Amino acid sequence: MRRTRPPGSVRPPEATRARESARAWESTRPPGSARAPRRRCLALLTLVLLSGCTTGPSLETQGSVTAPPGDSRHLTIGSAGFTESDLLAQMYALLLDQAGYKTSMLTVANRELYEPALESGQIDVVPEYAATFADWLNAKTNGTDAPPVGSPDLDATMTALRQLATPRGLTVLDAGRAVDQNAFAVTEAYARRHHLRTLSDLGRSGLKVRLAAGDECVQRPYCEPGLKKTYGIDITAVDPKGVGTTQAKLAVQNGQDQMVLTTTTDATLGDFGLVLLDDDKHLQNADYIVPVVNRSRAGSEGVTKALDKLNDVLTTADLASMNEQVDSWRRLPEDVARTYLKEKGLLK
């Protein structure tokens, strides 16, 4: 069980990160949760805000993007404005700097703004989440009522994501080992007392469970309905205290609730005496971290090789640890990212 920052220093719930897809219900984390990036292009930010969705391939020309992969030597790395996105963006920038590119950073904490900017080339590279981004692009392309294309199957999710991204001039690079997806936690004492390691164990136990989560949990297929159908867990009520909030974790810690919905890179669980139960039947979607690039500016082999280096080393636990260092220890994302890359031998 990893140790994390104290209660009360928990990151704000992801109320605005784009998880309104089948993966979760938060869109992007609030701008207030971001730390300032090392370089910020205010003029570019203004351009993004003014241009909105007016650039990039039009709906009429989707499917006919034929420009060769570009290799601009000055690349803008986008961050969605929360700690984890800042860390990933900083690692991307450091790896690209080492590969001979000149990089700048831009924070746009709203996918409705940064995705069109990525299409138009105002932003060149962003860290994304495979299933969430696939469902977001699917809704944008086929309407909000379109059946979700993100799933627990990474290969199927990546295939669908690339089919949706390519006509928009975007290239989705390979996923690595790190995944930030919904997860469920109980107290360590509760897990030990009832011999729980997995969600299947909890279902077989027959225990009645009050779940601390977002109020949308009662409708989402990967929350209350999925826990009941896939695992047979007896959810007696959903306590609407939010996703991974301090209030929700305290409710489980003090026994008011028995389980909390959080994420796999939550850096606060240990301080509340909580442990994750393994999603052994893969209820949750494959939200593996993937770099997404503008093909005409950053679709080159040089960019791909630089960013692919992270795939073999970065794990979910690594991300949780780095989140902790920024949010609890108050280290700068750039410093944490640089230290990590040097420790892994990826940065000189």
Side-chain angles (χ1 to χ4, degrees):
M1 179 180 67
R2 58 180 181 263
R3 293 297 300 168
T4 51
R5 61 187 158 206
S9 65
V10 62
R11 284 173 288 168
E14 299 169 311
T16 54
R17 176 179 149 201
R19 293 183 181 176
E20 62 264 71
S21 65
R23 145 110 137 111
W25 42 88
E26 315 92 72
S27 53
T28 47
R29 305 189 194 196
S33 66
R35 285 184 172 271
R38 57 177 180 162
R39 286 163 288 182
R40 186 169 304 206
C41 306
L42 294 179
L44 183 57
L45 177 57
T46 301
L47 184 58
V48 171
L49 294 173
L50 289 175
S51 63
C53 300
T54 60
T55 54
S58 68
L59 292 176
E60 290 77 14
T61 60
Q62 284 183 22
S64 59
V65 179
T66 58
D71 194 26
S72 173
R73 307 311 291 179
H74 188 163
L75 299 175
T76 300
I77 316 300
S79 167
F82 56 93
T83 296
E84 187 170 288
S85 189
D86 285 347
L87 284 163
L88 291 164
Q90 293 288 354
M91 286 190 282
Y92 292 178
L94 289 165
L95 290 170
L96 289 167
D97 286 344
Q98 181 172 256
Y101 295 88
K102 183 179 180 182
T103 62
S104 56
M105 300 286 295
L106 178 64
T107 296
V108 183
N110 187 312
R111 188 176 275 116
E112 284 77 6
L113 293 176
Y114 75 68
E115 189 278 331
L118 181 64
E119 289 187 26
S120 70
Q122 296 165 311
I123 295 174
D124 303 305
V125 184
V126 295
E128 264 294 355
Y129 300 85
T132 294
F133 197 45
D135 281 328
W136 195 88
L137 287 180
N138 185 43
K140 182 177 180 180
T141 302
N142 299 313
T144 56
D145 293 332
V149 295
S151 76
D153 185 324
L154 177 59
D155 290 340
T157 296
M158 289 293 290
T159 296
L161 173 55
R162 284 169 167 155
Q163 289 173 347
L164 289 160
T166 298
R168 295 183 176 277
L170 307 179
T171 296
V172 182
L173 304 188
D174 289 342
R177 300 161 60 191
V179 58
D180 183 354
Q181 60 191 171
N182 292 325
F184 296 90
V186 298
T187 65
E188 187 174 16
Y190 184 85
R192 186 170 53 249
R193 183 164 64 252
H194 298 291
H195 310 289
L196 306 177
R197 297 179 62 87
T198 69
L199 290 171
S200 288
D201 291 339
L202 182 57
R204 285 190 294 266
S205 73
L207 293 166
K208 295 186 180 300
V209 176
R210 182 177 165 93
L211 175 64
D215 53 9
E216 299 92 341
C217 178
V218 296
Q219 299 174 330
R220 301 296 180 175
Y222 37 80
C223 199
E224 181 185 4
L227 291 173
K228 289 180 174 179
K229 180 178 179 180
T230 302
Y231 289 107
I233 297 173
D234 187 1
I235 305 293
T236 60
V238 172
D239 188 2
K241 285 184 164 56
V243 181
T245 63
T246 298
Q247 184 184 20
K249 292 172 189 172
L250 286 172
V252 176
Q253 185 183 49
N254 65 28
Q256 177 183 344
D257 299 329
Q258 287 72 52
M259 188 164 67
V260 60
L261 170 63
T262 182
T263 64
T264 52
T265 59
D266 189 329
T268 69
L269 295 176
D271 292 300
F272 293 88
L274 303 179
V275 293
L276 294 178
L277 296 181
D278 183 40
D279 179 21
D280 54 308
K281 293 184 179 179
H282 307 292
L283 173 64
Q284 302 305 320
N285 282 347
D287 255 329
Y288 285 78
I289 291 162
V290 292
V292 182
V293 305
N294 177 286
R295 184 173 183 268
S296 66
R297 288 183 50 81
S300 69
E301 183 180 354
V303 170
T304 299
K305 286 179 65 176
L307 298 182
D308 275 353
K309 292 179 179 179
L310 201 54
N311 285 353
D312 292 335
V313 299
L314 184 65
T315 67
T316 304
D318 291 341
L319 268 181
S321 175
M322 286 190 280
N323 286 337
E324 175 191 10
Q325 292 176 55
V326 173
D327 289 332
S328 183
W329 304 356
R330 302 305 178 190
R331 295 185 62 193
L332 293 175
E334 181 180 5
D335 294 339
V336 174
R338 185 183 302 276
T339 298
Y340 177 79
L341 293 177
K342 285 185 174 181
E343 288 177 347
K344 296 298 182 180
L346 300 183
L347 201 64
K348 297 178 182 177

